[in-house]
Amino acid sequence: MAAILVTVKHQGKRYAVDLDPTSTGETFKYQLYSLTGVEPERQKILVKGGQLKDDTDLATLKAKPGQTFMMMGTPGTGDGSVTIERPKDKILFLEDMTAAEAAKIDGALPAGLQNLGNTCYLNSTLQTLRSIPELQAQLAKYSTPSADTGTSGVNLSQFGLGGMSSSMDLTASLRDLYKQMSETQEGFPPLVFLAALRELFPQFAQRSRTGQGYAQQDAEEAWSQIVSQLRQKLKIQDSTAGGTGATSQHALDISFIDKYLAGRFETVTECDDQSAKESGEEPVKGEDIFLKLDCHINKDTNHLRDGIAAGLEEKIEKTSPVLGREAFYTKKARIARLPKYLTVHFVRFFWKREAQKKAKIMRKVTFPPELDVVEFCTEHLRSQLVPVRDKVREIRKDEEDITRARKRLKTAHKHEEDRQAELKAQGRTDTTNTDTEHKDEKKVDGDTEMVDVAYKTDAEYEAERTTSILAAKKELFSIIDPELAKDDGANKSGVYELRGIVTHQGASADSGHYTSYVKKQGILDSKTGKRMEEDGKWWWFNDDKVSEVDGEKIETLSGGGESHSALILLYRAIELPTAEEVKE
């Protein structure tokens, strides 16, 4: 396709530029850069429907010879000249980087953990917990001044060198371990952390029945003990914890775990014996904090939802003060607070008395990539969550409809262009449709009227989409309940997305093999500071071996045999617009 001579107006001057329809907006900007000295990232070129974007196909502009475009922007130096300076930072190539520098590249292969003898249960737990960015950030701030400060007064923990003092503190050991893992892409030996865990919880120092090395352990028990220690030790300043009048100057120290990983139940315990009710025994209401939801598995459990529902109701045998004897009670729980990160435990292991070991329930139980837990909440919390959840669904449907409509129009446009090209090649003209616009037919008073439907360029659609997304974010943000909005460690929609999985392969908790899966994050945009769209792939951590797998692999982890089946799921609340995003 031949170049088209167009005119670009900039600061009172007119430039004649050859526009190549086969190239992109980025190429056109570099042409103008050579003429005006305005860097491409500082240019604003106005086209129909918005601004010219780097990835815009210039053919979609349908430019005509002599057409005029308006450009705004000034060179970085501000005087119309371009000064080429030496880069402030030395450009590093991958082969010239140290192991620590290469490990810190966004999207780099993460470090594995060496198996130190039946420690796969610990490795899988640590890798899944590491997928919580808020945890890593808060651990980096954690310090025990009296213990981690050397004789010179230097805080050794900031260099990952807490030494023997850190080995006495599981939280400091975890801080140091994660720092060391961030500086390598090799399998790292978690020696200090393992020693701290076994010192604090001797059950993990149990020897194997053969006497050779250490015994295999339950990953869920390791998870629970580590989280329990973090709950005691890792504190965070939270102004929302002090009520509506709290300020940053009066922020309270609360547990990091309570803020981000702990939920709250409202419970009702009622006697099953009708005679107790008739004698005036009232149901007992209470509150419980939970760090995970249990998915109980029986012959009727097919999906995660079934197991969670079963776990929210239990039978208790205790003395009835009214009857004066033992009676059965039913305790029902409903969720009154949802944490940002929700842990779900598949209760697959049970004590088999005759075998004297923890046996495994092999039943297949499916779980979703997106979990809606609104039905398990109290009426009050449901009333806060449902409007947000339904609005999210509405926005998603609208976006899907727009995308499908755009694809249909682009396909129809392409067919029309191909037809016109074929007619032109045959030396014929189309008398029914002489331009590149699609014509729809509609009946008006019995006659057929041709209605022109103009095809929009990618730039026009992108501009409309950006405006639509911002409007949707503002509307969504406006309906978030003010009470929930103050709690940035809570889920405000009742919907979660799956981020991490601990799996087990084998027939019992005391044998087999544990691995973990962590969903890959989108690449960080250096210009905006925000992460780009994810590619749907996952990291598979098999001790020191780390590999990338497709999302379809996750669908095979539902159980049904001795192969890898999910034991622990880590869900994260879906992202909602923040006040800062709405302002932008």
Side-chain angles (χ1 to χ4, degrees):
M1 201 177 291
I4 302 168
L5 186 63
V6 298
T7 300
V8 176
K9 292 179 62 177
H10 175 247
Q11 293 185 346
K13 297 182 180 179
R14 303 173 74 90
Y15 299 91
V17 185
D18 286 327
L19 185 148
D20 183 0
T22 63
S23 62
T24 63
E26 185 178 28
T27 302
F28 190 58
K29 287 182 178 181
Y30 273 101
Q31 287 178 265
L32 296 177
Y33 176 38
S34 65
L35 296 171
T36 65
V38 179
E39 296 88 340
E41 63 272 13
R42 298 176 63 87
Q43 296 178 17
K44 289 185 179 179
I45 302 170
L46 304 182
V47 296
K48 185 179 180 181
Q51 296 180 25
L52 181 68
K53 295 189 175 298
D54 290 350
D55 58 354
T56 299
D57 183 354
L58 294 183
T60 62
L61 299 180
K62 302 184 181 68
K64 300 177 181 178
Q67 185 173 341
T68 300
F69 293 91
M70 179 71 72
M71 186 186 100
M72 295 184 291
T74 57
T77 57
D79 58 0
S81 61
V82 179
T83 302
I84 301 177
E85 299 178 352
R86 183 185 297 274
K88 295 180 180 179
D89 299 321
K90 181 181 178 182
I91 298 175
L92 283 177
F93 295 96
L94 190 60
E95 55 270 25
D96 299 325
M97 292 182 179
T98 64
E101 289 171 336
K104 291 183 182 298
I105 296 176
D106 197 44
L109 186 77
L113 288 169
Q114 294 178 21
N115 192 319
L116 303 177
N118 279 338
T119 58
C120 57
Y121 72 93
L122 178 62
N123 293 345
S124 57
T125 297
L126 292 172
Q127 293 285 16
T128 308
L129 283 172
R130 189 171 177 241
S131 69
I132 303 175
E134 293 91 343
L135 176 59
Q136 291 201 58
Q138 195 60 33
L139 280 171
K141 300 175 185 177
Y142 178 78
S143 64
T144 50
S146 59
D148 287 344
T149 303
T151 56
S152 63
V154 178
N155 187 353
L156 301 178
S157 66
Q158 63 180 309
F159 304 108
L161 299 171
M164 291 304 294
S165 61
S166 289
S167 69
M168 305 296 290
D169 185 338
L170 195 72
T171 304
S173 298
L174 185 61
R175 171 201 64 203
D176 296 346
L177 175 62
Y178 282 168
K179 184 177 188 303
Q180 291 157 342
M181 290 174 67
S182 70
E183 296 172 348
T184 183
Q185 291 178 284
E186 304 295 328
F188 189 83
L191 289 164
V192 175
F193 183 85
L194 180 61
L197 182 71
R198 287 173 174 167
E199 181 180 346
L200 197 57
F201 304 106
Q203 70 189 83
F204 298 109
Q206 179 185 356
R207 310 292 295 189
S208 68
R209 293 181 180 180
T210 64
Q212 302 293 320
Y214 292 94
Q216 178 68 283
Q217 300 289 338
D218 186 345
E220 188 276 327
E221 291 180 3
W223 179 288
S224 295
Q225 297 290 27
I226 293 170
V227 170
S228 175
Q229 270 297 293
L230 291 173
R231 190 182 182 204
Q232 295 178 36
K233 296 281 189 177
L234 194 60
K235 303 296 180 180
I236 185 171
Q237 282 203 335
D238 183 25
S239 59
T240 63
T244 56
T247 63
S248 57
Q249 289 80 14
H250 300 88
L252 301 179
D253 281 344
I254 67 166
S255 165
F256 173 88
I257 297 299
D258 284 347
K259 182 176 177 68
Y260 287 105
L261 280 88
R264 178 168 53 86
F265 285 135
E266 286 185 3
T267 62
V268 177
T269 306
E270 188 173 12
C271 187
D272 295 343
D273 197 315
Q274 186 62 32
S275 58
K277 299 176 183 178
E278 293 172 352
S279 300
E281 183 170 342
E282 295 291 332
V284 177
K285 297 182 179 181
E287 289 188 353
D288 294 325
I289 298 298
F290 69 88
L291 300 178
K292 58 182 173 65
L293 293 182
D294 286 330
C295 174
H296 290 268
I297 303 174
N298 55 41
K299 61 181 179 63
D300 299 318
T301 308
N302 296 309
H303 189 265
L304 180 64
R305 183 243 166 240
D306 306 328
I308 292 177
L312 294 178
E313 184 173 318
E314 62 175 320
K315 294 291 183 181
I316 302 172
E317 187 178 9
K318 65 175 185 174
T319 301
S320 167
V322 172
L323 300 178
R325 59 176 172 81
E326 293 292 298
F328 283 101
Y329 288 75
T330 298
K331 182 179 181 181
K332 297 181 179 180
R334 283 291 175 264
I335 300 171
R337 180 191 186 265
L338 285 169
K340 181 174 182 177
Y341 291 91
L342 180 67
T343 304
V344 181
H345 168 223
F346 286 95
V347 187
R348 288 194 175 276
F349 299 130
F350 68 99
W351 183 252
K352 200 169 185 177
R353 188 176 301 173
E354 58 271 24
Q356 288 294 294
K357 69 176 183 180
K358 281 186 177 180
K360 183 178 179 181
I361 301 173
M362 304 290 189
R363 185 176 182 84
K364 180 178 180 178
V365 181
T366 59
F367 53 91
E370 189 169 275
L371 178 66
D372 182 350
V373 295
V374 170
E375 65 174 301
F376 306 123
C377 298
T378 62
E379 289 186 13
H380 175 65
L381 184 56
R382 279 204 302 267
S383 68
Q384 296 173 312
L385 299 175
V386 167
V388 180
R389 181 199 65 181
D390 291 350
K391 189 63 184 177
V392 168
R393 290 176 175 174
E394 179 186 326
I395 291 172
R396 288 178 175 177
K397 184 179 182 302
D398 289 345
E399 288 182 347
E400 290 173 0
D401 290 344
I402 291 172
T403 301
R404 282 196 295 267
R406 173 60 175 156
K407 286 181 179 178
R408 286 197 300 268
L409 283 172
K410 289 188 77 171
T411 300
H413 191 196
K414 180 67 167 59
H415 289 164
E416 177 63 20
E417 285 187 329
D418 292 345
R419 190 174 72 88
Q420 293 287 351
E422 184 179 349
L423 290 173
K424 188 175 182 180
Q426 296 173 357
R428 299 162 52 195
T429 58
D430 184 7
T431 57
T432 62
N433 195 356
T434 57
D435 55 26
T436 56
E437 292 181 337
H438 176 64
K439 295 183 181 291
D440 282 351
E441 295 183 0
K442 72 175 183 179
K443 295 288 185 177
V444 179
D445 297 330
D447 296 327
T448 300
E449 180 185 9
M450 304 301 291
V451 180
D452 290 344
V453 179
Y455 289 100
K456 299 176 183 177
T457 65
D458 288 341
E460 291 171 330
Y461 264 98
E462 188 60 32
E464 287 184 3
R465 181 175 176 273
T466 301
T467 303
S468 175
I469 289 175
L470 180 58
K473 282 185 176 182
K474 287 182 177 179
E475 186 177 359
L476 183 56
F477 180 77
S478 68
I479 63 175
I480 296 176
D481 186 271
E483 180 185 341
L484 286 179
K486 296 171 187 172
D487 187 356
D488 58 355
N491 185 322
K492 301 169 183 63
S493 68
V495 183
Y496 289 92
E497 58 176 338
L498 187 62
R499 302 305 301 184
I501 309 170
V502 176
T503 67
H504 177 265
Q505 179 184 37
S508 76
D510 303 327
S511 62
H513 184 56
Y514 291 92
T515 67
S516 63
Y517 294 80
V518 171
K519 194 168 188 182
K520 288 182 62 180
Q521 291 183 304
I523 300 297
L524 191 66
D525 189 325
S526 58
K527 294 181 180 179
T528 64
K530 298 178 181 179
R531 292 199 174 274
M532 302 170 68
E533 188 175 350
E534 296 177 346
D535 60 9
K537 296 185 181 296
W538 292 67
W539 293 121
W540 180 27
F541 295 96
N542 185 3
D543 288 329
D544 57 338
K545 301 180 184 66
V546 183
S547 55
E548 186 182 82
V549 298
D550 292 328
E552 288 76 13
K553 174 67 176 177
I554 306 304
E555 299 173 7
T556 69
L557 305 177
S558 299
E562 292 190 18
S563 60
H564 281 288
S565 55
L567 179 69
I568 298 172
L569 303 177
L570 180 64
Y571 282 96
R572 183 183 70 190
I574 60 169
E575 291 187 356
L576 296 176
T578 63
E580 291 74 19
E581 287 179 321
V582 171
K583 287 178 183 177
E584 290 176 5

